[in-house]
PDB file of all heavy atoms in Angstrom:
ATOM      1  N   ILE X   9     -23.399 -44.922 -15.934  1.00 95.00           N
ATOM      2  CA  ILE X   9     -23.244 -45.749 -14.782  1.00 95.00           C
ATOM      3  C   ILE X   9     -24.231 -45.250 -13.663  1.00 95.00           C
ATOM      4  O   ILE X   9     -24.250 -44.067 -13.292  1.00 95.00           O
ATOM      5  CB  ILE X   9     -21.796 -45.779 -14.212  1.00 95.00           C
ATOM      6  CG1 ILE X   9     -20.871 -46.250 -15.229  1.00 95.00           C
ATOM      7  CG2 ILE X   9     -21.722 -46.625 -12.950  1.00 95.00           C
ATOM      8  CD1 ILE X   9     -19.399 -45.869 -15.003  1.00 95.00           C
ATOM      9  N   ILE X  10     -25.062 -46.164 -13.243  1.00 95.00           N
ATOM     10  CA  ILE X  10     -26.127 -45.822 -12.260  1.00 95.00           C
ATOM     11  C   ILE X  10     -25.603 -46.373 -10.917  1.00 95.00           C
ATOM     12  O   ILE X  10     -25.385 -47.608 -10.742  1.00 95.00           O
ATOM     13  CB  ILE X  10     -27.478 -46.433 -12.593  1.00 95.00           C
ATOM     14  CG1 ILE X  10     -27.946 -45.860 -13.917  1.00 95.00           C
ATOM     15  CG2 ILE X  10     -28.512 -46.159 -11.472  1.00 95.00           C
ATOM     16  CD1 ILE X  10     -29.255 -46.512 -14.416  1.00 95.00           C
ATOM     17  N   GLY X  11     -25.365 -45.468  -9.937  1.00 96.00           N
ATOM     18  CA  GLY X  11     -24.866 -45.787  -8.667  1.00 96.00           C
ATOM     19  C   GLY X  11     -23.446 -45.337  -8.554  1.00 96.00           C
ATOM     20  O   GLY X  11     -22.553 -45.873  -9.325  1.00 96.00           O
ATOM     21  N   ALA X  12     -23.124 -44.485  -7.564  1.00 96.00           N
ATOM     22  CA  ALA X  12     -21.799 -43.903  -7.490  1.00 96.00           C
ATOM     23  C   ALA X  12     -21.099 -44.443  -6.273  1.00 96.00           C
ATOM     24  O   ALA X  12     -20.218 -43.903  -5.637  1.00 96.00           O
ATOM     25  CB  ALA X  12     -21.796 -42.431  -7.434  1.00 96.00           C
ATOM     26  N   GLY X  13     -21.479 -45.668  -5.849  1.00 96.00           N
ATOM     27  CA  GLY X  13     -20.827 -46.323  -4.671  1.00 96.00           C
ATOM     28  C   GLY X  13     -19.538 -46.852  -5.033  1.00 96.00           C
ATOM     29  O   GLY X  13     -18.989 -46.519  -6.039  1.00 96.00           O
ATOM     30  N   VAL X  14     -19.024 -47.828  -4.237  1.00 96.00           N
ATOM     31  CA  VAL X  14     -17.656 -48.354  -4.478  1.00 96.00           C
ATOM     32  C   VAL X  14     -17.543 -48.914  -5.838  1.00 96.00           C
ATOM     33  O   VAL X  14     -16.624 -48.664  -6.589  1.00 96.00           O
ATOM     34  CB  VAL X  14     -17.409 -49.514  -3.387  1.00 96.00           C
ATOM     35  CG1 VAL X  14     -16.105 -50.207  -3.757  1.00 96.00           C
ATOM     36  CG2 VAL X  14     -17.359 -48.841  -1.991  1.00 96.00           C
ATOM     37  N   MET X  15     -18.524 -49.785  -6.253  1.00 97.00           N
ATOM     38  CA  MET X  15     -18.371 -50.438  -7.576  1.00 97.00           C
ATOM     39  C   MET X  15     -18.607 -49.393  -8.671  1.00 97.00           C
ATOM     40  O   MET X  15     -17.880 -49.429  -9.707  1.00 97.00           O
ATOM     41  CB  MET X  15     -19.431 -51.510  -7.734  1.00 97.00           C
ATOM     42  CG  MET X  15     -19.292 -52.351  -8.955  1.00 97.00           C
ATOM     43  SD  MET X  15     -20.212 -53.876  -8.786  1.00 97.00           S
ATOM     44  CE  MET X  15     -19.653 -54.740 -10.138  1.00 97.00           C
ATOM     45  N   GLY X  16     -19.582 -48.488  -8.608  1.00 97.00           N
ATOM     46  CA  GLY X  16     -19.821 -47.564  -9.600  1.00 97.00           C
ATOM     47  C   GLY X  16     -18.715 -46.633  -9.899  1.00 97.00           C
ATOM     48  O   GLY X  16     -18.378 -46.377 -11.092  1.00 97.00           O
ATOM     49  N   LYS X  17     -18.080 -46.145  -8.874  1.00 95.00           N
ATOM     50  CA  LYS X  17     -16.976 -45.236  -9.022  1.00 95.00           C
ATOM     51  C   LYS X  17     -15.757 -45.957  -9.576  1.00 95.00           C
ATOM     52  O   LYS X  17     -14.917 -45.405 -10.402  1.00 95.00           O
ATOM     53  CB  LYS X  17     -16.619 -44.465  -7.774  1.00 95.00           C
ATOM     54  CG  LYS X  17     -15.999 -45.249  -6.734  1.00 95.00           C
ATOM     55  CD  LYS X  17     -15.769 -44.314  -5.445  1.00 95.00           C
ATOM     56  CE  LYS X  17     -15.440 -45.191  -4.201  1.00 95.00           C
ATOM     57  NZ  LYS X  17     -15.481 -44.497  -2.966  1.00 95.00           N
ATOM     58  N   GLY X  18     -15.604 -47.214  -9.204  1.00 95.00           N
ATOM     59  CA  GLY X  18     -14.450 -48.004  -9.770  1.00 95.00           C
ATOM     60  C   GLY X  18     -14.703 -48.171 -11.296  1.00 95.00           C
ATOM     61  O   GLY X  18     -13.726 -48.082 -12.095  1.00 95.00           O
ATOM     62  N   VAL X  19     -15.889 -48.568 -11.753  1.00 96.00           N
ATOM     63  CA  VAL X  19     -16.249 -48.768 -13.070  1.00 96.00           C
ATOM     64  C   VAL X  19     -16.065 -47.464 -13.867  1.00 96.00           C
ATOM     65  O   VAL X  19     -15.405 -47.424 -14.996  1.00 96.00           O
ATOM     66  CB  VAL X  19     -17.625 -49.276 -13.277  1.00 96.00           C
ATOM     67  CG1 VAL X  19     -18.124 -49.303 -14.739  1.00 96.00           C
ATOM     68  CG2 VAL X  19     -17.775 -50.651 -12.683  1.00 96.00           C
ATOM     69  N   ALA X  20     -16.456 -46.312 -13.273  1.00 95.00           N
ATOM     70  CA  ALA X  20     -16.330 -44.968 -13.895  1.00 95.00           C
ATOM     71  C   ALA X  20     -14.891 -44.650 -14.146  1.00 95.00           C
ATOM     72  O   ALA X  20     -14.477 -44.205 -15.229  1.00 95.00           O
ATOM     73  CB  ALA X  20     -17.079 -43.943 -13.085  1.00 95.00           C
ATOM     74  N   GLU X  21     -14.115 -44.827 -13.153  1.00 93.00           N
ATOM     75  CA  GLU X  21     -12.618 -44.578 -13.275  1.00 93.00           C
ATOM     76  C   GLU X  21     -11.957 -45.389 -14.393  1.00 93.00           C
ATOM     77  O   GLU X  21     -11.162 -44.923 -15.174  1.00 93.00           O
ATOM     78  CB  GLU X  21     -11.991 -44.714 -11.932  1.00 93.00           C
ATOM     79  CG  GLU X  21     -10.481 -44.305 -12.021  1.00 93.00           C
ATOM     80  CD  GLU X  21      -9.828 -44.450 -10.621  1.00 93.00           C
ATOM     81  OE1 GLU X  21     -10.461 -44.451  -9.667  1.00 93.00           O
ATOM     82  OE2 GLU X  21      -8.537 -44.424 -10.644  1.00 93.00           O
ATOM     83  N   ARG X  22     -12.354 -46.670 -14.376  1.00 94.00           N
ATOM     84  CA  ARG X  22     -11.728 -47.638 -15.359  1.00 94.00           C
ATOM     85  C   ARG X  22     -12.095 -47.308 -16.770  1.00 94.00           C
ATOM     86  O   ARG X  22     -11.187 -47.186 -17.648  1.00 94.00           O
ATOM     87  CB  ARG X  22     -12.170 -49.068 -14.988  1.00 94.00           C
ATOM     88  CG  ARG X  22     -11.662 -50.065 -15.974  1.00 94.00           C
ATOM     89  CD  ARG X  22     -10.187 -50.257 -16.020  1.00 94.00           C
ATOM     90  NE  ARG X  22      -9.790 -50.964 -14.829  1.00 94.00           N
ATOM     91  CZ  ARG X  22      -8.576 -51.394 -14.556  1.00 94.00           C
ATOM     92  NH1 ARG X  22      -7.548 -51.099 -15.335  1.00 94.00           N
ATOM     93  NH2 ARG X  22      -8.360 -52.001 -13.490  1.00 94.00           N
ATOM     94  N   PHE X  23     -13.361 -46.966 -17.042  1.00 92.00           N
ATOM     95  CA  PHE X  23     -13.769 -46.670 -18.327  1.00 92.00           C
ATOM     96  C   PHE X  23     -13.193 -45.287 -18.759  1.00 92.00           C
ATOM     97  O   PHE X  23     -12.815 -45.101 -20.030  1.00 92.00           O
ATOM     98  CB  PHE X  23     -15.270 -46.646 -18.461  1.00 92.00           C
ATOM     99  CG  PHE X  23     -15.814 -48.035 -18.850  1.00 92.00           C
ATOM    100  CD1 PHE X  23     -16.226 -48.909 -17.838  1.00 92.00           C
ATOM    101  CD2 PHE X  23     -15.910 -48.491 -20.126  1.00 92.00           C
ATOM    102  CE1 PHE X  23     -16.684 -50.187 -18.134  1.00 92.00           C
ATOM    103  CE2 PHE X  23     -16.442 -49.724 -20.454  1.00 92.00           C
ATOM    104  CZ  PHE X  23     -16.796 -50.499 -19.421  1.00 92.00           C
ATOM    105  N   SER X  24     -13.087 -44.357 -17.847  1.00 88.00           N
ATOM    106  CA  SER X  24     -12.474 -43.012 -18.221  1.00 88.00           C
ATOM    107  C   SER X  24     -11.042 -43.204 -18.658  1.00 88.00           C
ATOM    108  O   SER X  24     -10.555 -42.585 -19.491  1.00 88.00           O
ATOM    109  CB  SER X  24     -12.660 -42.036 -17.049  1.00 88.00           C
ATOM    110  OG  SER X  24     -11.795 -42.356 -16.030  1.00 88.00           O
ATOM    111  N   LYS X  25     -10.389 -44.163 -18.028  1.00 87.00           N
ATOM    112  CA  LYS X  25      -8.963 -44.404 -18.307  1.00 87.00           C
ATOM    113  C   LYS X  25      -8.807 -44.810 -19.785  1.00 87.00           C
ATOM    114  O   LYS X  25      -7.839 -44.606 -20.510  1.00 87.00           O
ATOM    115  CB  LYS X  25      -8.439 -45.536 -17.415  1.00 87.00           C
ATOM    116  CG  LYS X  25      -6.992 -45.942 -17.758  1.00 87.00           C
ATOM    117  CD  LYS X  25      -6.539 -47.071 -16.818  1.00 87.00           C
ATOM    118  CE  LYS X  25      -5.178 -47.554 -17.253  1.00 87.00           C
ATOM    119  NZ  LYS X  25      -4.722 -48.690 -16.327  1.00 87.00           N
ATOM    120  N   TYR X  26      -9.848 -45.475 -20.299  1.00 87.00           N
ATOM    121  CA  TYR X  26      -9.784 -46.034 -21.714  1.00 87.00           C
ATOM    122  C   TYR X  26     -10.516 -45.127 -22.749  1.00 87.00           C
ATOM    123  O   TYR X  26     -10.823 -45.526 -23.842  1.00 87.00           O
ATOM    124  CB  TYR X  26     -10.440 -47.475 -21.793  1.00 87.00           C
ATOM    125  CG  TYR X  26      -9.483 -48.407 -21.110  1.00 87.00           C
ATOM    126  CD1 TYR X  26      -9.778 -48.877 -19.833  1.00 87.00           C
ATOM    127  CD2 TYR X  26      -8.295 -48.847 -21.710  1.00 87.00           C
ATOM    128  CE1 TYR X  26      -8.934 -49.825 -19.220  1.00 87.00           C
ATOM    129  CE2 TYR X  26      -7.368 -49.670 -21.042  1.00 87.00           C
ATOM    130  CZ  TYR X  26      -7.690 -50.129 -19.829  1.00 87.00           C
ATOM    131  OH  TYR X  26      -6.864 -50.982 -19.134  1.00 87.00           O
ATOM    132  N   GLY X  27     -10.764 -43.795 -22.234  1.00 84.00           N
ATOM    133  CA  GLY X  27     -11.213 -42.805 -23.176  1.00 84.00           C
ATOM    134  C   GLY X  27     -12.737 -42.645 -23.321  1.00 84.00           C
ATOM    135  O   GLY X  27     -13.174 -41.942 -24.267  1.00 84.00           O
ATOM    136  N   TYR X  28     -13.516 -43.232 -22.446  1.00 87.00           N
ATOM    137  CA  TYR X  28     -14.962 -43.170 -22.542  1.00 87.00           C
ATOM    138  C   TYR X  28     -15.430 -41.885 -21.881  1.00 87.00           C
ATOM    139  O   TYR X  28     -14.861 -41.403 -20.826  1.00 87.00           O
ATOM    140  CB  TYR X  28     -15.667 -44.280 -21.846  1.00 87.00           C
ATOM    141  CG  TYR X  28     -15.658 -45.561 -22.650  1.00 87.00           C
ATOM    142  CD1 TYR X  28     -14.494 -46.303 -22.766  1.00 87.00           C
ATOM    143  CD2 TYR X  28     -16.745 -45.909 -23.429  1.00 87.00           C
ATOM    144  CE1 TYR X  28     -14.445 -47.521 -23.431  1.00 87.00           C
ATOM    145  CE2 TYR X  28     -16.675 -47.162 -24.231  1.00 87.00           C
ATOM    146  CZ  TYR X  28     -15.593 -47.892 -24.184  1.00 87.00           C
ATOM    147  OH  TYR X  28     -15.528 -49.023 -24.933  1.00 87.00           O
ATOM    148  N   ASP X  29     -16.538 -41.260 -22.389  1.00 87.00           N
ATOM    149  CA  ASP X  29     -17.317 -40.196 -21.686  1.00 87.00           C
ATOM    150  C   ASP X  29     -18.053 -41.001 -20.578  1.00 87.00           C
ATOM    151  O   ASP X  29     -18.667 -42.024 -20.847  1.00 87.00           O
ATOM    152  CB  ASP X  29     -18.276 -39.470 -22.609  1.00 87.00           C
ATOM    153  CG  ASP X  29     -17.661 -38.634 -23.580  1.00 87.00           C
ATOM    154  OD1 ASP X  29     -16.487 -38.221 -23.378  1.00 87.00           O
ATOM    155  OD2 ASP X  29     -18.327 -38.170 -24.613  1.00 87.00           O
ATOM    156  N   ILE X  30     -17.910 -40.443 -19.393  1.00 90.00           N
ATOM    157  CA  ILE X  30     -18.639 -41.178 -18.256  1.00 90.00           C
ATOM    158  C   ILE X  30     -19.858 -40.322 -17.818  1.00 90.00           C
ATOM    159  O   ILE X  30     -19.656 -39.007 -17.534  1.00 90.00           O
ATOM    160  CB  ILE X  30     -17.696 -41.322 -17.095  1.00 90.00           C
ATOM    161  CG1 ILE X  30     -16.475 -42.127 -17.567  1.00 90.00           C
ATOM    162  CG2 ILE X  30     -18.420 -41.989 -15.934  1.00 90.00           C
ATOM    163  CD1 ILE X  30     -16.734 -43.488 -18.151  1.00 90.00           C
ATOM    164  N   VAL X  31     -21.038 -40.773 -17.666  1.00 91.00           N
ATOM    165  CA  VAL X  31     -22.152 -40.193 -17.050  1.00 91.00           C
ATOM    166  C   VAL X  31     -22.364 -41.038 -15.794  1.00 91.00           C
ATOM    167  O   VAL X  31     -22.768 -42.131 -15.858  1.00 91.00           O
ATOM    168  CB  VAL X  31     -23.396 -40.183 -17.991  1.00 91.00           C
ATOM    169  CG1 VAL X  31     -24.570 -39.527 -17.210  1.00 91.00           C
ATOM    170  CG2 VAL X  31     -23.023 -39.453 -19.242  1.00 91.00           C
ATOM    171  N   LEU X  32     -22.158 -40.424 -14.623  1.00 93.00           N
ATOM    172  CA  LEU X  32     -22.253 -41.151 -13.354  1.00 93.00           C
ATOM    173  C   LEU X  32     -23.501 -40.545 -12.712  1.00 93.00           C
ATOM    174  O   LEU X  32     -23.724 -39.384 -12.521  1.00 93.00           O
ATOM    175  CB  LEU X  32     -21.004 -40.877 -12.517  1.00 93.00           C
ATOM    176  CG  LEU X  32     -20.948 -41.656 -11.180  1.00 93.00           C
ATOM    177  CD1 LEU X  32     -21.019 -43.211 -11.398  1.00 93.00           C
ATOM    178  CD2 LEU X  32     -19.594 -41.271 -10.501  1.00 93.00           C
ATOM    179  N   ILE X  33     -24.470 -41.472 -12.391  1.00 94.00           N
ATOM    180  CA  ILE X  33     -25.738 -41.075 -11.752  1.00 94.00           C
ATOM    181  C   ILE X  33     -25.953 -41.781 -10.403  1.00 94.00           C
ATOM    182  O   ILE X  33     -25.643 -42.956 -10.208  1.00 94.00           O
ATOM    183  CB  ILE X  33     -26.877 -41.481 -12.720  1.00 94.00           C
ATOM    184  CG1 ILE X  33     -26.767 -40.788 -14.045  1.00 94.00           C
ATOM    185  CG2 ILE X  33     -28.262 -41.120 -12.099  1.00 94.00           C
ATOM    186  CD1 ILE X  33     -27.699 -41.340 -15.100  1.00 94.00           C
ATOM    187  N   ASP X  34     -26.387 -40.897  -9.408  1.00 95.00           N
ATOM    188  CA  ASP X  34     -26.764 -41.491  -8.052  1.00 95.00           C
ATOM    189  C   ASP X  34     -27.881 -40.619  -7.496  1.00 95.00           C
ATOM    190  O   ASP X  34     -27.934 -39.363  -7.863  1.00 95.00           O
ATOM    191  CB  ASP X  34     -25.531 -41.496  -7.189  1.00 95.00           C
ATOM    192  CG  ASP X  34     -25.711 -42.414  -6.046  1.00 95.00           C
ATOM    193  OD1 ASP X  34     -26.540 -42.146  -5.144  1.00 95.00           O
ATOM    194  OD2 ASP X  34     -24.993 -43.521  -6.022  1.00 95.00           O
ATOM    195  N   ASN X  35     -28.770 -41.191  -6.741  1.00 95.00           N
ATOM    196  CA  ASN X  35     -29.882 -40.410  -6.202  1.00 95.00           C
ATOM    197  C   ASN X  35     -29.440 -39.685  -4.941  1.00 95.00           C
ATOM    198  O   ASN X  35     -30.215 -38.899  -4.394  1.00 95.00           O
ATOM    199  CB  ASN X  35     -31.101 -41.300  -5.953  1.00 95.00           C
ATOM    200  CG  ASN X  35     -30.921 -42.427  -5.073  1.00 95.00           C
ATOM    201  OD1 ASN X  35     -29.764 -42.650  -4.605  1.00 95.00           O
ATOM    202  ND2 ASN X  35     -31.890 -43.143  -4.733  1.00 95.00           N
ATOM    203  N   ASN X  36     -28.318 -39.931  -4.375  1.00 95.00           N
ATOM    204  CA  ASN X  36     -27.748 -39.295  -3.245  1.00 95.00           C
ATOM    205  C   ASN X  36     -26.612 -38.352  -3.632  1.00 95.00           C
ATOM    206  O   ASN X  36     -25.548 -38.850  -4.039  1.00 95.00           O
ATOM    207  CB  ASN X  36     -27.257 -40.382  -2.276  1.00 95.00           C
ATOM    208  CG  ASN X  36     -26.812 -39.783  -0.958  1.00 95.00           C
ATOM    209  OD1 ASN X  36     -26.250 -38.661  -0.931  1.00 95.00           O
ATOM    210  ND2 ASN X  36     -27.015 -40.471   0.119  1.00 95.00           N
ATOM    211  N   SER X  37     -26.815 -37.082  -3.611  1.00 94.00           N
ATOM    212  CA  SER X  37     -25.838 -36.172  -4.074  1.00 94.00           C
ATOM    213  C   SER X  37     -24.613 -36.188  -3.257  1.00 94.00           C
ATOM    214  O   SER X  37     -23.481 -35.957  -3.801  1.00 94.00           O
ATOM    215  CB  SER X  37     -26.471 -34.669  -4.083  1.00 94.00           C
ATOM    216  OG  SER X  37     -26.800 -34.307  -2.822  1.00 94.00           O
ATOM    217  N   GLU X  38     -24.617 -36.504  -2.019  1.00 95.00           N
ATOM    218  CA  GLU X  38     -23.382 -36.670  -1.186  1.00 95.00           C
ATOM    219  C   GLU X  38     -22.557 -37.817  -1.684  1.00 95.00           C
ATOM    220  O   GLU X  38     -21.312 -37.718  -1.818  1.00 95.00           O
ATOM    221  CB  GLU X  38     -23.762 -36.813   0.293  1.00 95.00           C
ATOM    222  CG  GLU X  38     -22.619 -36.951   1.232  1.00 95.00           C
ATOM    223  CD  GLU X  38     -22.924 -37.059   2.687  1.00 95.00           C
ATOM    224  OE1 GLU X  38     -24.155 -36.738   3.049  1.00 95.00           O
ATOM    225  OE2 GLU X  38     -22.067 -37.338   3.443  1.00 95.00           O
ATOM    226  N   VAL X  39     -23.179 -38.959  -1.938  1.00 95.00           N
ATOM    227  CA  VAL X  39     -22.425 -40.083  -2.483  1.00 95.00           C
ATOM    228  C   VAL X  39     -21.757 -39.765  -3.880  1.00 95.00           C
ATOM    229  O   VAL X  39     -20.667 -40.049  -4.093  1.00 95.00           O
ATOM    230  CB  VAL X  39     -23.357 -41.299  -2.546  1.00 95.00           C
ATOM    231  CG1 VAL X  39     -22.709 -42.463  -3.394  1.00 95.00           C
ATOM    232  CG2 VAL X  39     -23.805 -41.820  -1.216  1.00 95.00           C
ATOM    233  N   LEU X  40     -22.590 -39.024  -4.695  1.00 94.00           N
ATOM    234  CA  LEU X  40     -22.115 -38.645  -6.025  1.00 94.00           C
ATOM    235  C   LEU X  40     -20.901 -37.774  -5.856  1.00 94.00           C
ATOM    236  O   LEU X  40     -19.893 -37.939  -6.578  1.00 94.00           O
ATOM    237  CB  LEU X  40     -23.208 -37.994  -6.836  1.00 94.00           C
ATOM    238  CG  LEU X  40     -22.939 -37.545  -8.265  1.00 94.00           C
ATOM    239  CD1 LEU X  40     -22.520 -38.817  -9.056  1.00 94.00           C
ATOM    240  CD2 LEU X  40     -24.152 -36.925  -8.898  1.00 94.00           C
ATOM    241  N   ASN X  41     -21.066 -36.678  -5.078  1.00 94.00           N
ATOM    242  CA  ASN X  41     -19.939 -35.775  -4.899  1.00 94.00           C
ATOM    243  C   ASN X  41     -18.707 -36.427  -4.312  1.00 94.00           C
ATOM    244  O   ASN X  41     -17.623 -36.125  -4.733  1.00 94.00           O
ATOM    245  CB  ASN X  41     -20.338 -34.595  -3.996  1.00 94.00           C
ATOM    246  CG  ASN X  41     -21.349 -33.713  -4.635  1.00 94.00           C
ATOM    247  OD1 ASN X  41     -21.440 -33.575  -5.928  1.00 94.00           O
ATOM    248  ND2 ASN X  41     -22.228 -33.033  -3.892  1.00 94.00           N
ATOM    249  N   ASN X  42     -18.918 -37.254  -3.385  1.00 95.00           N
ATOM    250  CA  ASN X  42     -17.674 -38.067  -2.816  1.00 95.00           C
ATOM    251  C   ASN X  42     -17.019 -38.883  -3.978  1.00 95.00           C
ATOM    252  O   ASN X  42     -15.827 -38.957  -3.971  1.00 95.00           O
ATOM    253  CB  ASN X  42     -18.053 -38.933  -1.603  1.00 95.00           C
ATOM    254  CG  ASN X  42     -18.397 -38.097  -0.378  1.00 95.00           C
ATOM    255  OD1 ASN X  42     -17.954 -37.036  -0.310  1.00 95.00           O
ATOM    256  ND2 ASN X  42     -19.197 -38.758   0.453  1.00 95.00           N
ATOM    257  N   ALA X  43     -17.819 -39.542  -4.805  1.00 95.00           N
ATOM    258  CA  ALA X  43     -17.307 -40.422  -5.804  1.00 95.00           C
ATOM    259  C   ALA X  43     -16.432 -39.490  -6.798  1.00 95.00           C
ATOM    260  O   ALA X  43     -15.400 -39.899  -7.189  1.00 95.00           O
ATOM    261  CB  ALA X  43     -18.386 -41.118  -6.510  1.00 95.00           C
TER     262      ALA X  43
END
């Protein structure tokens, strides 16, 4: 998932719930860490 904003973190959480490995990428480390 490219982008750890509101939508990206929601998608990441949803897919992790269903057993997927998640690779979350963002060019802003603060946004990524918050997500």
Side-chain angles (χ1 to χ4, degrees):
I9 301 164
I10 299 172
V14 173
M15 188 169 193
K17 69 183 171 192
V19 171
E21 184 176 341
R22 176 65 75 177
F23 274 92
S24 72
K25 177 181 176 183
Y26 292 104
Y28 283 81
D29 289 340
I30 305 300
V31 179
L32 186 58
I33 299 169
D34 200 289
N35 60 356
N36 184 325
S37 60
E38 184 177 341
V39 171
L40 182 60
N41 291 332
N42 287 338

